[in-house]
Amino acid sequence: MCPGIEDVEHSCCFTGDKHDLCTRDLPPCPNSNQYLWWDGFHPTQQAFSIIARDCYNGSAVCSPMNIDQLVQA
């Protein structure tokens, strides 16, 4: 599991429509940094921060090379 993210299954906002997007006029969760998903499709800012960190420092997520390797090339 990703550090700081406790819920990787549910979205932070209530998704009740057929497109899996946030339901209008309903507040999102108060602790979005603990969720992997904002809605049915989009990661939260916390998830993007983890991906960006890993892409810079080296990870299989970023292929064929990470940002640090690209700068040194």
Side-chain angles (χ1 to χ4, degrees), residues 3-71:
I5 295 180
E6 297 177 14
D7 192 328
V8 298
E9 189 175 332
H10 304 98
S11 60
C12 179
C13 66
F14 177 74
T15 57
D17 70 358
K18 64 181 178 179
H19 302 291
D20 236 3
L21 299 174
C22 296
T23 302
R24 178 181 257 182
D25 298 327
L26 290 178
C29 62
N31 54 345
S32 63
N33 62 330
Q34 295 177 355
Y35 284 78
L36 178 63
W37 299 105
W38 178 254
D39 58 18
F41 298 101
H42 304 96
T44 59
Q45 183 174 348
Q46 178 72 4
F48 276 125
S49 294
I50 292 167
I51 293 167
R53 180 201 64 209
D54 289 350
C55 282
Y56 185 81
N57 295 318
S59 170
V61 173
C62 301
S63 179
M65 63 177 66
N66 62 44
I67 295 171
D68 190 39
Q69 292 167 327
L70 183 61
V71 170

